[in-house]
Amino acid sequence: MTKILRVAVIGAGRMGADHIQRLNTRIHGAEVAAVVDVDLTRAQAAIEGIPGAIALADAEEALNNGDVNAVLIATPGFLHEDILLKAIAKDIPILCEKPLTPDAGSSWKIVEAEQKLGRKRIQVGFMRRFDAEYAALGKIIRDSELGELLMLHHQHRNPTTPAGFTNEMLINDSVVHEFDAIRYFTGEEITSVQVRLGKATRNAPAGQHDPQHVLIETASGVLADVEIYVNAKFGYEVATQASFEDGIVSIGADTGPYTRSNGRWGGEVTPGFEERFGAAYDAEIQSWVDAALRDEIGGPTAWDGYATAACCEAGVEAQKNGEKVAVKLNAKPALYR
Ligand SMILES: NC(=O)c1ccc[n+]([C@@H]2O[C@H](COP(=O)([O-])OP(=O)(O)OC[C@H]3O[C@@H](n4cnc5c(N)ncnc54)[C@H](O)[C@@H]3O)[C@@H](O)[C@H]2O)c1
C-alpha cells in the first residue's frame, strides 16, 4: 500500500497554485512531486521552496514519471477529459477540479472508463461538501431534525467576472456548485432546470446577462432557486436558506468581528472563494489523500461530475429557450450505487 502520495499538480493557475500551497504546507500524507503548466515559468515559480519537486510543461511526462503516484487536475475544464483518461489508464488516485468535463457526453466517457477499470479513482472538486456549515445543514436534512426539507434558496454572488466569462459560464462554472449542493443536500437527482432572465445590470460585460434566476426541481419535488449574480460588486457571497416543515435554516452569512465605531456598525464582506472556502478546500484535499492511501476516494465521484454536467447542459438550454428543461441521465452504474 502507498505510504505517501507523490502528487503531480496539472495547471498552476489560481486554483492549482492554491492547492500546491496547501499540499506543501498543511496536508498530511502527500507531497508535491511535480507541477505541470504549459507556461513553464509558472510551473517553475510554483515549485520554489518545495524540496524534490520538478517543473514540467507536459502532463503526460508527469504521469509517466516514476516518482508520481497521484494527480491533481487544475487546468481549465475543457482540458480535463484527456488528462483524466490518461490518469485512469495509470490506475492512480485523481483529484479533478470541477467540472469533471464541460458536457455530459464527455463526462459519461469518464464514468465508462472508470467502470472498465472496476474501481473509483476520481474525486471531483466540489469542495462545498466539506464546508462546516454545509455539513451541518446536510445533517439537519438527513436526520429530519426539522421535518421534511421543502425548499432551498441559494444566493451565489461574485464581485466581478474575469475576462472572457461567458453567459454559459454562469451555469457551467458557477451554478454547477449549486447543482452539486442541491444533490448533496437532498440525496436526490435534479429532474429539471429553468432559467429566467430578468432586468440586467449595466455592470456586466457585453454578451453576458447578469443576474439570472435558476429554478430547479428534484426527484421528490423539492424546489430550489439560485440567484446567480456575478458582477454584484460588493464582494463574495455564497449563502443558502432551507425551508423545512418545522423551521428555517440559513447558512453562509458573513460572520467575524462585528464592530461599532464612528457612528457606524458592521463587519467585513468576504472578498472571494479562497477566503470563504479555504478551510473546506483543506478538508477536501485531506479527505482525498487519506482515502487514496486506503485505495479509496474521499468525496464526490465521477457520477456526481456526470450528473452535474447533465444539469449544466439542461441549464444552458434553458438559458436560451426560457423553458423548463428536463435533465437527461443514463442509468446509474453499480460502481456508484
Ligand atoms: N472548486 C472551486 O471553487 C474552483 C474555483 C476556481 C476554479 N476552479 C476550477 O479549477 C480549474 C482551474 O481554474 P483556474 O481558475 O485555476 O484557472 P487558471 O486559468 O487560473 O489556471 C489554469 C492553468 O492551467 C494552465 N494550463 C492550460 N493548459 C494546460 C495544459 N494543457 N497543461 C498544463 N497546464 C495547462 C494555464 O497555463 C494556467 O496556469 C477549472 O476547472 C476551474 O473550474 C474551481
Side-chain angles (χ1 to χ4, degrees):
M1 189 183 277
T2 311
K3 293 256 179 344
I4 191 149
L5 288 199
R6 295 280 295 159
V7 183
V9 179
I10 320 289
R14 187 168 176 188
M15 205 63 237
D18 204 41
H19 284 319
I20 290 163
Q21 279 312 309
R22 71 172 40 83
L23 280 168
N24 191 38
T25 57
R26 298 192 289 283
I27 301 299
H28 305 284
E31 294 168 349
V32 177
V35 174
V36 181
D37 203 295
V38 278
D39 180 348
L40 189 58
T41 54
R42 201 173 270 190
Q44 281 160 343
I47 61 159
E48 243 172 65
I50 306 181
I54 54 168
L56 299 166
D58 176 44
E60 202 161 2
E61 204 180 322
L63 293 175
N64 288 332
N65 186 305
D67 189 33
V68 166
N69 62 15
V71 63
L72 189 159
I73 303 171
T75 51
F78 73 94
L79 295 168
H80 292 179
E81 181 183 356
D82 182 53
I83 305 168
L84 278 166
L85 290 172
K86 286 174 178 148
I88 292 169
K90 293 274 172 200
D91 193 12
I92 56 173
I94 304 163
L95 187 291
C96 180
E97 259 309 337
K98 51 64 53 176
L100 181 66
T101 71
D103 61 89
S106 54
S107 283
W108 183 248
K109 276 195 215 157
I110 301 300
V111 165
E112 284 187 315
E114 204 177 43
Q115 276 185 91
K116 210 166 147 204
L117 181 70
R119 59 171 155 173
K120 286 180 271 190
R121 276 304 204 184
I122 302 166
Q123 181 175 325
V124 183
F126 288 120
M127 77 298 179
R128 290 191 191 176
R129 295 180 182 221
F130 296 91
D131 175 67
E133 285 189 280
Y134 269 71
L137 175 54
K139 186 171 181 318
I140 292 170
I141 296 169
R142 277 192 307 280
D143 294 353
S144 302
E145 278 177 43
L146 299 173
E148 287 288 317
L149 173 71
L150 307 173
M151 285 192 177
L152 290 163
H153 308 285
H154 299 269
Q155 295 88 41
H156 187 159
R157 299 175 179 132
N158 300 138
T160 181
T161 44
F165 203 84
T166 63
N167 214 32
E168 290 77 17
M169 287 167 89
L170 266 73
I171 300 292
N172 288 334
D173 281 63
S174 301
V175 179
V176 65
H177 279 296
E178 274 76 24
F179 288 142
D180 185 66
I182 291 160
R183 296 177 63 260
Y184 163 71
F185 284 140
T186 61
E188 296 173 8
E189 294 301 346
I190 290 170
T191 52
S192 76
V193 183
Q194 184 179 10
V195 179
R196 285 158 51 98
L197 304 179
K199 192 163 181 174
T201 172
R202 63 181 157 77
N203 297 316
Q208 193 197 80
H209 190 111
D210 185 42
Q212 302 185 11
H213 194 204
V214 185
L215 308 173
I216 293 157
E217 273 176 286
T218 72
S220 75
V222 173
L223 297 183
D225 59 272
V226 183
E227 176 195 311
I228 180 67
Y229 185 13
V230 294
N231 299 279
K233 292 184 85 170
F234 73 94
Y236 183 86
E237 183 184 25
V238 164
T240 299
Q241 192 172 72
S243 301
F244 294 86
E245 289 174 308
D246 300 325
I248 307 291
V249 178
S250 298
I251 61 167
D254 276 319
T255 52
Y258 175 99
T259 306
R260 278 167 289 168
S261 171
N262 260 336
R264 298 184 68 80
W265 54 263
E268 287 188 9
V269 173
T270 305
F273 58 80
E274 286 98 338
E275 295 81 4
R276 168 70 177 84
F277 288 110
Y281 290 122
D282 284 356
E284 169 193 53
I285 300 301
Q286 190 64 63
S287 176
W288 173 59
V289 170
D290 291 347
L293 293 173
R294 302 188 304 265
D295 272 343
E296 294 169 7
I297 63 165
T301 64
W303 170 263
D304 296 311
Y306 161 72
T308 49
C311 294
C312 288
E313 240 175 62
V316 170
E317 192 183 330
Q319 256 184 342
K320 291 182 182 134
N321 66 16
E323 303 289 324
K324 186 164 118 175
V325 177
V327 176
K328 295 183 208 86
L329 283 181
N330 294 332
K332 194 172 187 172
L335 185 62
Y336 306 102
R337 272 184 235 135

